[in-house]
């Protein structure tokens, strides 16, 4: 439906708000005049500040003269999520409640089995619903399903990228194609958030049901996979994420270029879990980096290097998942990659490992085992080793399809930042050469870029890294 048709009969102020390229009208119409509040269904952008979706919801609520309720549905069966992921998410909920309260907004959490959206919308008499965006398959399906079920307007806001993803209409070939397009639009979109306050407070109806954000949201969920333990070294939530951001921009950014490929040092921002849960938005991070550069212009080249990851590569991953329905398989490979993989399908593999052997870090390769230990025990791995880790799995499994399958399984099971577009894009890059070019041909890999253990290990103090990983508190798979 044309944009104009979707917005007929809306007050002019709302029409203007919906003209924002971050906004998608998923269900057209006018807000229910009998509605008692506006609801923002928070899913991906799990934060109370620095959130375009909260902001739009506040503007709409203020315009309609209604209070705003922010709703989080604690579902028990999020695809591939286990106890480790839920604990990190749970830690973020009290920050959301606190930050929203400062803006005169009520946060409501209902967890399974009480998490029905339709019930919540009926209980609060919502006039309209605002949502956020998530390019992944299942979350996108939830949005479509909700739009089909409800009768009030439903608008979603692309809150977790700097440049609204629909402005990059087509699937991109690589960082080199998306980067100039994104950077051209930064002056328009990399601007401070306003964090407006809601004018009208919501009064909780008598007998209204909500779960406490301070309690274990997984309590009583019998089918939840609890085998992957939480990682004590990480604390989820906006406040912990912003603290890390402050440390990064204040003390670490200066050395980012020099340190970012040294897995034995704490040299990168480690913000990926916070970005994944939306505890901190990429725009907030980018603005903090810009503020550091404004104070000290010698940080410019560190900023450029960091933005290449945070904006170019991260938003390329979002673009990839948005436009590639089979993003978590090997089937989307480019023609050259498919050809070279097929030509080398029968190459002899000296080592073949089962998924269990890989999971338990039982390979001949000490460096790879250490990286796998970091994944399992720490819930995170350094980027340089993620590349090596995935490429070795291609070498050690019968074919590329199996390699992608094993990588996705382990990536999503153990990483706090797993189940994210970045993971699928990273695995696609490593296994089927997505966003890469053809390299010199060699066994098994064909023209897919190869990384040798010897040269990877020489580029940093791998001995120290291996020792560090073995010293991590245990939590190994049974
Ligand atoms: C095989 C493989 C699997 C990966 N799996 C994941 C995953 O599950 N989740 C995840 O968030 N990232 C994944 N990455 C990308 C990258 O390794 C991590 O984002 C990064 O290591 C996170 O650490 P950091 O926050 O300290 O990064 P920094 O170097 O501080 O970078 C800042 C931010 O930029 C983004 N970024 C950095 N490198 C990349 C990249 N190569 N591609 C896309 N975005 C990037 C991340 O959001 C990161 O938090 C994967 C990469 C590969 C090669």
């Amino acid at each position: 439906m044309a944009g104009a048709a979707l917005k007929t009969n809306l007050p002019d102020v709302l029409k203007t708000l919906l003209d924002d390229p971050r906004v998608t009208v998923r269900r057209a119409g006018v807000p229910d005049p009998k509605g008692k509040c506006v609801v923002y269904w928070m899913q991906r952008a799990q934060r109370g500040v620095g959130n375009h979706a909260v902001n739009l919801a506040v503007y709409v609520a203020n315009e309609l003269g209604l209070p705003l309720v922010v709703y989080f549905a604690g579902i028990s069966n999020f695809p591939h999520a286990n106890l480790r992921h839920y604990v990190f998410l749970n830690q973020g909920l009290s920050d959301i409640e606190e930050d929203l309260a400062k803006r005169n907004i009520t946060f409501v959490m209902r967890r399974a089995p009480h998490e029905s959206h339709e019930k919540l919308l009926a209980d609060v008499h919502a006039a309209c619903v605002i949502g956020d965006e998530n390019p992944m398959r299942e979350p996108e399906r939830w949005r479509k399903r909700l739009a089909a079920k409800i009768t009030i307007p439903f608008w979603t806001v692309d809150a977790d990228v700097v440049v609204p993803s629909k402005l990059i209409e087509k699937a991109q070939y690589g960082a080199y194609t998306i980067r100039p397009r994104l950077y051209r639009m930064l002056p328009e979109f990399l601007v401070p958030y306003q964090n407006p306050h809601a004018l009208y407070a919501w009064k909780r109806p008598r007998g209204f049901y909500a779960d406490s954000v301070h309690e274990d949201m997984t309590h009583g969920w019998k089918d939840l996979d609890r085998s992957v333990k939480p990682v004590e070294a990480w604390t989820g939530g906006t406040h912990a994420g912003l603290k890390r951001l402050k440390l990064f921009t204040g003390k670490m950014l200066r050395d980012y270029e020099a340190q970012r490929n040294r897995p034995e040092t704490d040299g990168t921002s480690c913000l990926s879990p916070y970005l994944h849960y939306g505890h901190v938005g990429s725009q907030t991070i980018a603005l903090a980096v810009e503020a550091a550069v404004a104070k000290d212009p010698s940080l410019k080249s560190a900023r450029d290097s960091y933005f290449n990851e945070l904006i170019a590569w991260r938003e390329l991953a979002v673009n990839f998942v948005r436009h590639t329905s089979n993003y978590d398989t090997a089937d989307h490979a480019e023609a050259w990659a498919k050809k070279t993989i097929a030509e080398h399908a029968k190459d002899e593999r000296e080592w073949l490992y089962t998924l269990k052997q890989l999971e338990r870090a039982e390979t001949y390769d000490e460096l790879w085992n250490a990286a796998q230990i970091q994944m399992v025990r720490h819930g995170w791995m350094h980027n340089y080793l993620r590349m090596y880790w995935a490429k070795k799995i291609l070498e050690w499994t019968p074919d590329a399809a199996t390699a992608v399958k094993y990588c996705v399984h382990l990536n999503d099971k153990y990483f706090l930042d797993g189940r994210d577009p970045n993971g699928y894009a990273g695995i696609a890059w490593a296994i089927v050469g997505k966003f890469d070019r053809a390299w010199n041909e060699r066994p098994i890999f064909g023209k897919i870029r190869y990384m040798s253990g010897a040269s990877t290990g020489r580029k940093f103090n791998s001995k120290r890294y291996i020792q560090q990983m073995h010293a991590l508190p245990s939590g190994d798979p049974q």
Side-chain angles (χ1 to χ4, degrees):
M1 219 186 299
L6 290 167
K7 296 173 206 154
T8 38
N9 303 326
L10 277 180
D12 285 347
V13 180
L14 292 193
K15 276 188 201 157
T16 311
L17 288 174
L18 300 190
D19 276 340
D20 186 330
R22 282 191 198 280
V23 178
T24 298
V25 176
R26 291 189 177 251
R27 181 163 195 98
V30 285
D32 181 352
K34 293 201 200 105
K36 295 209 167 80
C37 66
V38 168
V39 168
Y40 162 33
W41 162 36
M42 177 183 278
Q43 193 267 316
R44 175 152 162 70
Q46 294 170 28
R47 58 187 181 276
V49 283
N51 183 337
H52 297 104
V54 176
N55 291 356
L56 181 92
V58 170
Y59 294 133
V60 171
N62 288 350
E63 179 58 29
L64 296 176
L66 293 173
L68 171 61
V69 172
V70 173
Y71 173 56
F72 185 82
I75 61 166
S76 57
N77 57 349
F78 198 105
H80 311 295
N82 54 50
L83 184 66
R84 172 174 292 178
H85 304 118
Y86 276 108
V87 166
F88 193 87
L89 182 156
N90 209 159
Q91 287 167 341
L93 295 177
S94 50
D95 292 354
I96 303 172
E97 183 178 70
E98 189 184 324
D99 292 342
L100 287 174
K102 288 186 193 142
R103 298 173 67 179
N104 199 25
I105 302 166
T106 304
F107 184 50
V108 171
M109 195 274 280
R110 284 181 178 177
R111 63 187 198 94
H114 305 288
E115 82 284 22
S116 153
H117 292 72
E118 293 91 310
K119 172 96 171 64
L120 181 279
L121 296 175
D123 287 355
V124 299
H125 301 284
C128 59
V129 195
I130 317 286
D132 44 42
E133 287 281 339
N134 187 331
M136 307 241 306
R137 194 180 299 123
E138 275 292 295
E140 172 56 20
R141 201 172 58 78
W142 301 334
R143 284 158 178 76
K144 289 207 170 99
R145 198 176 54 196
L146 184 66
K149 275 188 173 175
I150 57 178
T151 52
I152 50 176
F154 177 29
W155 308 315
T156 50
V157 184
D158 202 1
D160 281 272
V161 282
V162 177
V163 175
S165 33
K166 72 175 168 207
L167 294 181
I168 312 282
E169 325 78 39
K170 288 195 194 130
Q172 296 292 298
Y173 286 110
Y176 73 99
T177 61
I178 200 171
R179 190 183 297 111
R181 304 187 64 187
L182 292 169
Y183 285 11
R184 253 198 312 276
M185 291 190 264
L186 287 187
E188 187 182 345
F189 294 104
L190 188 52
V191 290
Y193 292 96
Q194 291 179 349
N195 292 319
H197 283 235
L199 294 177
Y200 308 94
W202 185 69
K203 288 196 190 62
R204 193 182 171 117
R206 192 184 286 255
F208 180 81
Y209 179 85
D211 287 297
S212 166
V213 297
H214 304 284
E215 286 167 17
D216 171 14
M217 68 185 291
T218 73
H219 181 72
W221 290 354
K222 293 205 171 54
D223 294 331
L224 178 69
D225 173 6
R226 294 176 189 272
S227 66
V228 185
K229 301 294 172 222
V231 187
E232 283 203 3
W234 292 95
T235 305
T238 301
H239 300 173
L242 291 177
K243 196 168 155 204
R244 175 74 192 182
L245 174 61
K246 198 168 169 203
L247 176 74
F248 178 69
T249 51
K251 297 216 161 79
M252 302 168 67
L253 180 60
R254 173 168 309 286
D255 298 322
Y256 180 72
E257 276 178 292
Q259 297 296 326
R260 62 175 291 268
N261 279 332
R262 306 210 31 204
E264 81 283 21
T265 63
D266 181 21
T268 64
S269 69
C270 288
L271 286 167
S272 52
Y274 300 98
L275 281 159
H276 171 73
Y277 289 89
H279 290 163
V280 183
S282 57
Q283 184 155 328
T284 298
I285 299 173
L287 287 167
V289 169
E290 284 291 19
V293 173
K295 266 201 223 148
D296 179 355
S298 73
L299 293 173
K300 267 191 186 142
S301 115
R303 172 205 55 197
D304 294 347
S305 170
Y306 189 70
F307 276 13
N308 187 41
E309 307 302 330
L310 178 77
I311 300 177
W313 278 97
R314 184 171 178 275
E315 298 198 7
L316 177 64
V318 170
N319 173 273
F320 167 62
V321 166
R322 246 174 93 86
H323 294 281
T324 314
S325 57
N326 49 1
Y327 54 77
D328 48 357
T329 71
D331 300 339
H332 57 68
E334 306 287 351
W336 71 266
K338 278 196 172 135
K339 182 165 178 284
T340 196
I341 288 167
E343 282 165 2
H344 291 270
K346 296 214 163 64
D347 289 3
E348 192 192 333
R349 268 92 170 143
E350 194 183 347
W351 301 94
L352 280 177
Y353 291 110
T354 63
L355 180 59
K356 266 280 162 267
Q357 286 173 309
L358 295 171
E359 192 164 14
R360 292 181 179 159
E362 291 172 356
T363 77
Y364 69 82
D365 181 335
E366 263 195 299
L367 178 59
W368 191 93
N369 291 344
Q372 175 65 22
I373 288 173
Q374 183 170 32
M375 166 189 259
V376 168
R377 296 188 186 173
H378 190 52
W380 184 89
M381 192 195 291
H382 191 281
N383 179 58
Y384 193 43
L385 286 168
R386 292 194 204 216
M387 300 194 264
Y388 179 65
W389 171 84
K391 288 201 174 279
K392 288 309 264 190
I393 293 181
L394 174 59
E395 197 176 321
W396 294 337
T397 47
D399 49 56
T402 309
V404 170
K405 196 166 130 201
Y406 286 6
C407 282
V408 167
H409 172 82
L410 295 171
N411 199 91
D412 288 357
K413 181 170 177 183
Y414 290 106
F415 282 149
L416 281 166
D417 60 24
R419 305 168 299 123
D420 188 279
N422 280 355
Y424 305 114
I427 291 166
W429 175 87
I431 308 285
V432 299
K434 185 79 191 163
F435 311 126
D436 206 357
R437 63 173 170 87
W439 291 72
N440 285 341
E441 196 144 8
R442 52 171 299 126
I444 303 174
F445 284 77
K447 292 180 181 167
I448 306 288
R449 183 199 297 246
Y450 173 72
M451 283 171 80
S452 90
S455 73
T456 304
R458 266 199 306 274
K459 294 199 173 113
F460 63 98
N461 188 340
S462 54
K463 205 167 153 210
R464 191 161 149 223
Y465 172 79
I466 292 167
Q467 282 166 355
Q468 288 167 341
M469 294 312 117
H470 284 280
L472 285 172
S474 182
D476 295 351
Q478 303 305 306

